[in-house]
């Protein structure tokens, strides 16, 4: 694990984000608290619809209608609560202080301008004095990711493959030297080998620059290789969080256990890999009381029907589950 005092800490507290639906405003992220340790990579995993992208957008105060951040804070060292930033302050923060690749970055480039022109626009909009150096940095980043930088910068979006566009997105997230970087499914358009290579390069750049990085993926196996910490999301909650080797090695939440069992690379034996039964909830089917995972849970108890499990932290690990055993209380202060 890399720790560097220059890297900022990110503290998400009690974050709730709702989307307006025909059935009213429903939460996509519910009371999430998550700290990104300075200088570390935190992976976020969870099935589609668990709220990963909504959490990522919140780190940049970029949730758009019909969505709305209903409660909570996102404190970033040196920036304060980004949920209180607006207008010009917010525009300057995005890209320069917090670099990002949003999901489907392959299609977010401007089709009418070359990548190089968009890079220069980005540099100018952030008052980068040395645009030549910016272009040189961009080329170097693209070259590291196996692309011909000069050629990519001269290209329009339609001349690039999905995988190339994704690497352009990663380059744009890194090129302004932001110290917090948020990558939402940055490698999904890539084949397995290229995906592993790109994640390794993200790791290298992260270490060289002492960043605090969040990488979202639905591929637990891929992120296992690069992340320091892992947060597991389900139904808009972070149900488990901790050092990645521990979370994957001794998962405490039944959902994490199920996710791991479903991955041959992690469960160790392809014949033992078993898909998690059932489907994740949507905003409309999310239970309003009790544990959001109970319908699919093999450790379900009576209390899970009515009481939402509290998020409990011990041994540096966080878990929200009634059935996840706590260690026997030794010397509890409440005795006094
Ligand atoms: N613009 C939107 N309008 C309504 N519901 C949305 C919108 N965006 C996301 N959602 C819902 O919010 C939940 C979380 O979505 P999202 O954050 O994209 O999850 P993930 O990235 O984990 O797949 C899902 O149920 C999704 O359908
Ligand atoms: Mg997503």
């Amino acid at each position: 694990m890399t720790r560097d005092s220059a890297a900022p800490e990110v503290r998400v507290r009690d974050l709730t984000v709702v989307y307006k639906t025909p059935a009213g405003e429903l939460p996509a992220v519910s009371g999430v608290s998550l700290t990104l340790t300075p200088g570390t990579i935190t992976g976020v995993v969870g099935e589609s619809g668990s709220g990963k992208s909504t959490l990522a957008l919140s780190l940049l105060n970029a949730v758009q209608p019909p969505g709305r951040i209903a409660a909570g804070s996102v404190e970033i060292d040196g920036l304060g609560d980004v949920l209180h930033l607006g207008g010009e302050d917010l525009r300057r923060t995005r890209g320069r202080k917090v670099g990002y690749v949003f999901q489907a970055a392959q299609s977010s480039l401007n089709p009418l301008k070359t990548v190089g022109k968009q890079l220069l626009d980005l540099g100018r909009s952030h008052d980068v004095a040395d645009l030549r150096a910016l272009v040189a940095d961009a080329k170097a980043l693209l070259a590291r990711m196996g692309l011909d930088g000069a050629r990519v910068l001269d290209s329009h979006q339609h001349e690039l493959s999905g995988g190339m566009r994704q690497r352009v997105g990663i380059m744009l997230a890194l090129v302004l030297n932001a110290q917090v970087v948020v990558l939402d499914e940055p490698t999904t358009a890539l084949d397995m080998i290229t995906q592993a290579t790109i994640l390794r390069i993200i790791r290298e750049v992260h270490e060289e620059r002492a960043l605090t990085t969040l990488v979202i993926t639905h591929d637990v196996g891929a992120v296992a290789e690069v992340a320091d910490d892992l947060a597991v999301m389900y139904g808009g909650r972070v149900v488990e969080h901790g050092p990645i080797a521990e979370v994957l090695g001794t998962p405490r939440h039944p959902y994490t256990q199920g996710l791991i069992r479903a991955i041959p690379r992690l469960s160790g034996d392809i014949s033992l890999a078993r898909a998690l039964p059932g489907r994740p909830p949507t905003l409309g089917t999310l239970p309003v009381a009790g544990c959001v995972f109970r319908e699919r849970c093999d450790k379900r108890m009576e209390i899970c029907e009515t009481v939402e499990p509290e998020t409990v932290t011990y041994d540096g690990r966080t878990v929200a589950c009634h059935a996840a055993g706590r260690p026997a209380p030794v010397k509890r202060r409440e005795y006094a």
Side-chain angles (χ1 to χ4, degrees):
M1 179 150 52
T2 321
R3 280 168 200 272
D4 192 297
S5 54
E9 183 172 80
V10 178
R11 293 172 297 277
V12 178
R13 289 293 173 270
D14 302 317
L15 180 73
T16 295
V17 185
V18 295
Y19 287 103
K20 195 177 268 176
T21 76
E25 285 193 326
L26 297 171
V29 168
S30 288
V32 162
S33 293
L34 180 69
T35 299
L36 310 184
T37 305
T40 64
I41 298 184
T42 301
V44 179
V45 297
E47 287 160 296
S48 179
S50 56
K52 306 182 298 297
S53 291
T54 303
L55 173 65
L57 289 167
S58 304
L59 297 189
L60 289 125
N61 197 4
V63 173
Q64 300 300 325
R68 175 175 75 85
I69 295 176
S73 60
V74 177
E75 297 267 353
I76 300 181
D77 284 346
L79 294 176
D81 184 352
V82 297
L83 303 187
H84 289 155
L85 292 181
E88 191 58 6
D89 290 340
L90 188 57
R91 189 191 67 74
R92 286 177 181 280
T93 299
R94 290 185 188 150
R96 191 77 191 239
K97 306 280 188 192
V98 185
Y100 58 92
V101 183
F102 286 150
Q103 197 168 358
Q106 312 97 288
S107 54
S108 69
L109 291 166
N110 184 330
L112 302 177
K113 292 181 177 178
T114 62
V115 173
K117 179 77 178 63
Q118 290 177 68
L119 173 70
L120 292 174
D121 288 350
L122 180 74
R124 286 194 193 100
S125 75
H126 286 283
D127 302 322
V128 172
D130 191 346
L131 291 173
R132 253 171 217 273
L134 183 73
V135 170
D137 285 352
K139 282 185 187 163
L141 282 165
L142 291 167
R144 280 175 88 161
M145 293 188 279
L147 299 181
D148 176 341
R151 197 162 148 195
V152 167
L153 293 184
D154 272 339
S155 304
H156 287 83
Q157 166 191 299
H158 68 267
E159 296 169 287
L160 304 173
S161 70
M164 290 165 98
R165 284 180 217 166
Q166 234 166 7
R167 280 173 275 187
V168 168
I170 295 168
M171 176 276 285
L172 292 171
L174 297 172
V175 77
L176 291 178
N177 286 307
Q179 282 210 297
V180 176
V181 174
V182 178
L183 306 168
D184 189 354
E185 311 232 3
T187 59
T188 35
L190 304 169
D191 64 79
M192 283 256 288
I193 309 266
T194 316
Q195 176 167 320
T197 309
I198 298 299
L199 286 173
R200 200 163 56 241
I201 291 159
I202 289 171
R203 173 95 224 171
E204 281 172 19
V205 174
H206 163 90
E207 286 180 0
E208 286 164 14
R209 299 186 182 179
L211 307 178
T212 302
T213 303
L214 186 80
V215 180
I216 294 177
T217 168
H218 56 255
D219 185 344
V220 189
V223 81
E225 325 256 335
V226 296
D228 301 292
D229 291 339
L230 187 66
V232 181
M233 287 193 75
Y234 191 85
R237 276 81 171 164
V238 170
V239 296
E240 181 157 10
H241 177 221
I244 193 160
E246 293 178 31
V247 173
L248 295 180
T250 53
R252 287 177 179 164
H253 198 285
Y255 179 57
T256 317
Q257 293 165 1
L259 275 184
I260 292 170
R261 271 200 301 274
I263 303 164
R265 260 196 284 173
L266 295 176
S267 62
D269 182 341
I270 203 157
S271 65
L272 294 177
R274 174 150 57 89
L276 192 68
R279 284 161 170 275
T282 62
L283 290 191
T285 62
L286 209 57
V288 287
C291 172
V292 286
F293 183 61
R294 66 173 186 269
E295 299 290 339
R296 301 169 77 189
C297 184
D298 55 7
K299 303 207 168 54
R300 176 174 177 170
M301 303 180 297
E302 216 175 298
I303 189 175
C304 309
E305 308 291 327
T306 50
V307 180
E308 174 155 12
E310 253 180 77
T311 301
V312 177
T313 302
Y314 60 91
D315 303 340
R317 294 178 59 181
T318 293
V319 66
C321 173
H322 293 299
R326 276 192 234 195
V330 195
K331 278 201 238 157
R332 294 275 293 265
R333 291 209 171 160
E334 292 96 292
Y335 292 164

